[in-house]
Amino acid sequence: MFAVTLDLRIFANSAEQQLQTRGKGQPGDMLEKAAEQLMSCFRVCASDNRAGIDDSKKWGMLFLINQLFKIYFKINKLHLCKPLIRAIDSSTLKNDYSMAQRVTYKYYVGRKAMFDSDFKPAEECLSFSFHHCLCSSQKNKRMILIYLLPVKMLLGHMPSQQLLRKYDLMQFADVTKAVSEGNLLLLNEALAKHETFFIRCGIFLILEKLKIITYRNLFKKVYQLLRTHQLPLDAFLVSLRMMQVEDVDLDEVQCILANLIYMGHIKGYISHQHQKLVVSKQNPFPPLSSVS
């Protein structure tokens, strides 16, 4: 069954590419038809309640789900993954499948969680895949890191230059540096420079979310320089203009600060009467991992 269903997906993918080259059919048609056949096999496996555990067809569930994940991600129908994830979550065999299958499964579940902005579950799943992926599978580990790195950065954990060099992911080097330093100018330049790579990987919009973290780190520097818990809004305006943020005014500064306060990245409030940000005297900029 494994060989047949794998060949079905690969064959459907090849047929899809040929049809698109010739300008025939609707995008995703062949893959959707293959997914229907795979779902039929999955239902047979999932409903096998008669056989003993050693002979149960349920052992085929995870492999089929992984094949379906690959199709659903390809045709951008991630909502179809939800019932499959529930099926594995409720399965008594979920920790007994082969490690290779579990690594693939966690990789796709982690990617879906990332696109749903569930960053902590995404980190957990993608970290599992990365740490349990064979060391010899450098290509697969690199593929996992492409999604794990943005999630880690959004949670406040910056990758080392050594890690980026090892897996040939230096596209993230300036992004990491910019976020850590609160350097909005460098972040915009890094995103523009490697835009094609990030879009192809499907992570450009996720990396755009790092801007709010960069604002947080920039404003933290303003706080550290002024050494007071009552910070004039003009100081934040100056810092943004230094980063060449165009057409920024006090209203936009207040909007950015309000978002940071709402998201828990800053503990404090805006005093509109005095045009100041009043921050907590204790831990005004909580660690990102505690609030994300």
Side-chain angles (χ1 to χ4, degrees):
M1 183 193 73
F2 286 5
V4 171
T5 51
L6 176 61
D7 288 346
L8 172 63
R9 181 182 62 80
I10 294 171
F11 180 74
N13 198 41
S14 298
E16 182 75 28
Q17 290 174 0
Q18 289 182 31
L19 285 173
Q20 292 307 304
T21 303
R22 296 173 186 171
K24 296 181 180 180
Q26 293 296 316
D29 270 358
M30 290 295 105
L31 288 168
E32 284 191 31
K33 288 177 181 177
E36 288 172 9
Q37 300 305 315
L38 290 172
M39 273 303 297
S40 296
C41 294
F42 172 74
R43 290 189 191 100
V44 170
C45 292
S47 61
D48 183 18
N49 296 317
R50 294 184 179 181
I53 194 63
D54 292 336
D55 302 316
S56 177
K57 293 184 179 71
K58 289 185 177 182
W59 287 107
M61 286 171 59
L62 195 59
F63 181 84
L64 288 167
I65 284 175
N66 288 338
Q67 299 308 309
L68 286 164
F69 278 171
K70 290 175 184 180
I71 291 176
Y72 293 154
F73 272 79
K74 186 92 173 176
I75 63 177
N76 197 28
K77 292 195 173 180
L78 304 192
H79 64 282
L80 296 175
C81 298
K82 282 186 179 180
L84 302 177
I85 294 170
R86 283 199 299 268
I88 291 300
D89 285 346
S90 62
S91 173
T92 55
L93 300 176
K94 62 183 176 183
N95 296 320
D96 298 321
Y97 291 104
S98 72
M99 185 54 71
Q101 290 183 31
R102 290 167 65 195
V103 165
T104 303
Y105 174 76
K106 290 284 189 179
Y107 166 70
Y108 283 105
V109 173
R111 281 182 64 184
K112 185 182 182 305
M114 180 190 75
F115 292 131
D116 291 340
S117 297
D118 295 329
F119 297 121
K120 286 185 178 178
E123 180 192 26
E124 184 182 329
C125 290
L126 290 168
S127 294
F128 178 95
S129 289
F130 182 75
H131 292 306
H132 290 89
C133 185
L134 292 175
C135 293
S136 57
S137 301
Q138 287 286 101
K139 183 180 177 182
N140 288 345
K141 289 180 85 75
R142 181 179 187 271
M143 199 184 306
I144 296 165
L145 275 178
I146 286 172
Y147 302 99
L148 180 57
L149 292 178
V151 170
K152 285 275 192 185
M153 284 192 276
L154 283 163
L155 294 174
H157 308 297
M158 301 299 151
S160 66
Q161 295 293 306
Q162 182 184 358
L163 180 72
L164 297 179
R165 277 192 293 270
K166 180 178 178 180
Y167 291 99
D168 189 25
L169 287 171
M170 293 305 290
Q171 295 92 333
F172 289 94
D174 283 343
V175 175
T176 302
K177 186 172 186 287
V179 176
S180 298
E181 295 177 355
N183 190 333
L184 276 166
L185 181 60
L186 179 60
L187 179 62
N188 289 329
E189 289 173 353
L191 291 177
K193 182 179 179 181
H194 301 293
E195 183 178 5
T196 304
F197 171 77
F198 294 141
I199 290 175
R200 190 171 68 246
C201 294
I203 57 172
F204 185 79
L205 294 179
I206 299 295
L207 291 173
E208 281 271 314
K209 293 185 178 185
L210 288 170
K211 284 186 179 179
I212 197 71
I213 308 299
T214 312
Y215 282 127
R216 178 252 187 208
N217 291 342
L218 174 63
F219 292 169
K220 184 178 180 180
K221 284 189 171 183
V222 173
Y223 163 74
Q224 290 171 334
L225 283 170
L226 297 180
R227 295 184 179 182
T228 175
H229 69 282
Q230 295 185 9
L231 305 159
L233 298 183
D234 283 335
F236 300 113
L237 182 61
V238 170
S239 68
L240 289 173
R241 286 178 175 164
M242 285 178 64
M243 292 297 159
Q244 298 180 21
V245 178
E246 296 179 359
D247 302 324
V248 65
D249 56 22
L250 279 176
D251 286 339
E252 190 166 346
V253 168
Q254 291 185 56
C255 183
I256 295 168
L257 287 169
N259 275 325
L260 288 167
I261 292 168
Y262 173 75
M263 296 172 73
H265 294 313
I266 295 177
K267 289 165 66 176
Y269 64 91
I270 299 169
S271 172
H272 298 285
Q273 182 181 355
H274 299 98
Q275 291 290 285
K276 289 185 177 182
L277 172 70
V278 183
V279 296
S280 170
K281 292 182 180 180
Q282 292 186 336
N283 201 17
F285 293 83
L288 292 170
S289 56
S290 69
V291 296
S292 298

